[in-house]
Every structure is written in C-alpha cells, then in structure tokens.
Amino acid sequence: MADDRPLPTTAYAVLGLLSFGRELSGYDLKKWSDASLRHFFWSPAVSNIYSELKRLEGLGFVSAREVPQDDLRNKRVFRITREGTEVLARWVEDSPVDPPVLKDHTLLRVWMGHVARREQLLEMVAAAEEAARATVDELRHNVDVSRADPSLRYSAVVEEWCRREQQARADAFADLRAQLEALPD
Amino acid sequence: MADDRPLPTTAYAVLGLLSFGRELSGYDLKKWSDASLRHFFWSPAVSNIYSELKRLEGLGFVSAREVPQDDLRNKRVFRITREGTEVLARWVEDSPVDPPVLKDHTLLRVWMGHVARREQLLEMVAAAEEAARATVDELRHNVDVSRADPSLRYSAVVEEWCRREQQARADAFADLRAQLEALPD
DNA sequence: GGGAGCATGTAACGGGTTACATGATTGG
DNA sequence: CCAATCATGTAACCCGTTACATGCTCCC
C-alpha cells in the first residue's frame, strides 16, 4: 500500500523552503528558490513545484489554505505540518548524502578546446568570469539580507559559503584565461 | 525525416571524449569520464554512453570497428568521423552556454539546519571538507598526467581550474564549520 | 496596446537512471 | 572461491522539463 519509495530530493527541497515557518504560495516558493536555493542546489521549474506541493499535501506533510485576493481569484498558501517537519528532520540527519555535482558548460567546451578557435574560447571564459563576479555581488547582498533575520541564520552561512566559492570561480577563470593565452596552438 | 532537434549535451560530451583522436570502447569512455569529465561536468551511466554511441553512429558522427579479444567475444571501439568533428566544433563555438549548476547535498542540508541537531551538521560538513581535500589530491595527480601529454593540454588547464575550485571548497567548508560552531542555537 | 509580474495548474515528452542479462579473466 | 575488472547491451521507469491554458493588475 503505502508507497515507501523515497521522495525525490526536490520534495525535500520544497519542504525545506517551508520549514522556515512561513506560509508561502507556489509562486513564492519559485521566487525564493530562484534567489537562494539555485546557488548551491537547484531551482525546480514552476510546474515541478506545484506538482511536489500536491504530492506533499497528499502525504500530509504540508497543508494548504485558500487566501482571497483583491481580484476574484484565490491564492493557495502552504504551511509545513508537524509530520512534515519530522520527516524532513529525519531526512536531513539520516539519509545518505550524495556527492556534489558541478555542471559547468564553459569548462566542458574549454576541455575540448582543440576543436575550436582560441579566440572563441577566451571570450567564453571571460563571460564566465564576468558572470561569476556578478553572482558574487548578488550573494553579498543575499548574505546581508539573511544576516538581518535570525530565522535565516543557516541560509546566511550557506550563502557566505557560496560567495566564497563564486569568488574562487572567478579567480580561477582569470587564471585559466592567462593559461590559455600562453598555450601553444 | 532529418530530426533536427538538438542532441542532448551528453552526446557532445561523448563526442568530445572521442575528439582527442583515440579509438575507444564504451567501457573506456566510462572510465575516462569518471576520471576527468566528472569533476567539472558529469559522468553519464554506462548504459547512457552505449545508447549515445549508437545514436552517434547512426548519425555518422562516429564509426565503430570490431576488435577481437583474447577471449571469444569481440570488443567494439569507436572513432570520431570528420563529420563528427565538424558538428562538435560548431557546437562548441556556436551553441548557447547554459549557466553553471552546483548541486551540493551537504549545503542543502545545512541550509535547513534549524531542523537538525548541530552535531550532525558538523559531522556532515567535516565529511564534505575531507572529500574535497581528497579530490584536490586526485586532481593534482590528473593535472600531472595531462601535462605530460600535449594532446591533453586543454584537459590540463581545466583540471587545474578544478583543483583550485576544490581547494576553495575545502577552505569554505572549514570556515562554515567554524561559523556553525559560533552560531547561537 | 502590450509586456511584465502575479498566480495556478495540466499534459506530453525525453533524458537519464536503475535493474537486469551475460560471461570471461585476474588476483587476493 | 569470491570479488573486481573487463565488456556490451536492453527494458522499465521516473524525474523534471517545455509547452500549453487561463486571466488578472500595473505600468510604460
């Protein structure tokens, strides 16, 4: 009966977003995961968030409430249940931690750089470096915001981790650029 | 007729593995992607590699050759075709570069650290730091190997990038551990 | 008038995984 | 003797995406 196949990680991520004690809509969850979760894990598609919410509601891990809008339509906001908090805590503490994955499409291209023109590669690397620096700024801001709210203290330390890592990425790309320029064709 | 939907990135990754000019079996490809590709992109499942090879062969981007083994069975080794090299080069230079993705399951857990015991989190972070340091050593070795072979010069610079990044990860985890210890419950 | 943001969902699809099937050789 | 490595593939399945459907309000 009870389907005891483990939930996909996305389900726990969504549950995690709700574990901060706020009442949030699917739309809110998407915005927040774009802003925060995305930097160290992944931001699911909107439709995916809604389908996970449905599943979690069916399992009794979140509860929904209709909120009338100023227009005619209703908004559904979700809240984590005590059961939901418990399974989440059990997952955090007991489930095996998968190894980290980095998917960098710029590096994939540089790695097969012998098939491309040097100039093209250098442009790509410069763009990646730029993007990393922009992300550093974004994260600096996120950290400031999170530090101001005690309930976000864990977010703050993780965002600080990400800021450092992005800084390192940017520096490593700068170095890579120099190395590419020195490379004999 | 001609299915002009773009190939999945995995197809280009496999093609990339073959673009170094070597004749490789599916098994070889898996070993190599585990050792190298994995650190900055992703290592596909064995079955996935075989299915992509089949597709690429059908498209004429790789060609296969049967090699008799010492036992009774045959081995199939693959080689990239001129056409394959061309589409790969076009992909590297012209296709849009997706933003990088980091999926770190340790950070996901720390981020929702308020649902878990502090001690558990510290253990996880320590393990992640250890793993990163181990990867640094592995990459140092890879870089040495790649530097020795001129055809792997692009691999070498990418692996050097990864080494730096892993070093930064390890340091950031050390810092995170300190911050967690200082955090009021 | 139209695009962006707010807001919620369904349906089709595909990329990639796990599980399974098979079997030889080598080394502890 | 059993585990690991070499070696190739098929089939079922699921996770998550894109595309689609709908419609409001605010602002340029």
Side-chain angles (χ1 to χ4, degrees):
Chain A
M1 316 259 99
D3 190 355
D4 60 353
R5 271 173 310 185
L7 291 170
T9 312
T10 310
Y12 293 106
V14 168
L15 219 41
L17 285 162
L18 288 167
S19 73
F20 290 81
R22 301 175 187 183
E23 233 180 4
L24 299 165
S25 67
Y27 196 86
D28 294 331
L29 290 169
K30 175 58 178 168
K31 269 193 306 178
W32 194 7
S33 67
D34 275 354
S36 179
L37 215 49
R38 177 171 61 89
H39 294 293
F40 55 90
F41 194 67
W42 158 58
S43 189
V46 190
S47 64
N48 195 187
I49 288 177
Y50 283 108
S51 56
E52 287 302 343
L53 282 171
K54 193 193 227 179
R55 181 193 336 227
L56 292 169
E57 196 185 4
L59 291 167
F61 297 162
V62 306
S63 61
R65 188 170 67 88
E66 302 270 327
V67 176
Q69 295 286 87
D70 39 347
D71 58 13
L72 300 174
R73 294 151 8 94
N74 275 1
K75 181 160 85 159
R76 278 164 55 84
V77 288
F78 296 85
R79 165 190 291 288
I80 196 169
T81 62
R82 214 168 40 81
E83 237 186 309
T85 310
E86 274 161 26
V87 290
L88 184 61
R90 229 174 301 144
W91 179 79
V92 167
E93 299 207 337
D94 300 339
S95 70
V97 179
D98 289 344
V101 179
L102 169 66
K103 256 188 160 171
D104 193 299
H105 296 258
T106 303
L107 292 173
L108 178 60
R109 284 165 174 81
V110 173
W111 174 76
M112 43 178 107
H114 48 266
V115 302
R117 280 168 298 147
R118 182 69 50 91
E119 222 181 298
Q120 276 286 317
L121 293 179
L122 288 169
E123 265 177 50
M124 275 179 214
V125 174
E129 188 187 336
E130 258 317 287
R133 299 211 188 278
T135 308
V136 170
D137 293 337
E138 191 190 338
L139 284 164
R140 220 188 306 267
H141 176 251
N142 284 5
V143 171
D144 287 343
V145 171
S146 295
R147 282 216 216 277
D149 183 341
S151 78
L152 298 178
R153 61 200 187 283
Y154 287 97
S155 294
V157 291
V158 169
E159 280 156 359
E160 175 63 17
W161 187 101
C162 293
R163 195 194 57 73
R164 280 187 71 150
E165 199 257 356
Q166 285 293 331
Q167 183 66 58
R169 278 175 60 87
D171 296 345
F173 276 126
D175 191 65
L176 176 55
R177 212 141 48 91
Q179 295 213 26
L180 277 183
E181 269 159 2
L183 216 60
D185 193 71
Chain B
M1 4 217 93
D3 189 354
D4 61 351
R5 270 172 311 185
L7 291 170
T9 311
T10 308
Y12 293 106
V14 168
L15 219 41
L17 284 162
L18 288 167
S19 73
F20 290 81
R22 301 175 185 182
E23 231 181 4
L24 298 166
S25 67
Y27 196 86
D28 294 332
L29 290 169
K30 174 57 178 169
K31 268 195 304 178
W32 195 7
S33 67
D34 275 353
S36 179
L37 215 50
R38 175 172 61 90
H39 293 292
F40 55 89
F41 194 68
W42 159 58
S43 190
V46 190
S47 63
N48 195 187
I49 288 178
Y50 283 108
S51 55
E52 288 302 342
L53 282 171
K54 193 193 227 177
R55 182 196 334 231
L56 292 169
E57 196 186 4
L59 291 167
F61 298 162
V62 305
S63 63
R65 188 170 66 88
E66 302 269 327
V67 175
Q69 295 285 88
D70 38 348
D71 59 13
L72 301 174
R73 292 146 13 90
N74 275 2
K75 182 160 85 159
R76 300 187 73 211
V77 289
F78 296 85
R79 166 189 291 287
I80 196 169
T81 63
R82 214 169 40 80
E83 236 186 308
T85 311
E86 274 161 27
V87 290
L88 185 61
R90 229 174 302 144
W91 179 79
V92 168
E93 298 206 339
D94 300 338
S95 70
V97 179
D98 289 343
V101 179
L102 169 66
K103 255 189 161 171
D104 193 301
H105 295 259
T106 304
L107 292 173
L108 178 60
R109 284 166 174 79
V110 173
W111 174 76
M112 43 178 106
H114 48 266
V115 303
R117 280 167 299 146
R118 183 68 51 92
E119 223 182 296
Q120 277 286 316
L121 294 179
L122 289 169
E123 264 177 51
M124 275 178 214
V125 173
E129 188 187 336
E130 257 319 286
R133 299 209 187 279
T135 308
V136 169
D137 292 337
E138 191 190 338
L139 284 164
R140 222 189 302 268
H141 176 252
N142 285 6
V143 170
D144 288 343
V145 171
S146 296
R147 283 218 215 277
D149 183 343
S151 77
L152 298 178
R153 62 198 185 285
Y154 287 97
S155 295
V157 291
V158 168
E159 280 156 358
E160 175 63 17
W161 187 101
C162 292
R163 196 195 56 73
R164 280 187 71 149
E165 199 256 358
Q166 286 292 331
Q167 184 67 57
R169 278 175 59 86
D171 296 343
F173 276 126
D175 191 66
L176 176 56
R177 211 141 50 90
Q179 294 211 26
L180 277 181
E181 268 158 3
L183 216 60
D185 194 69

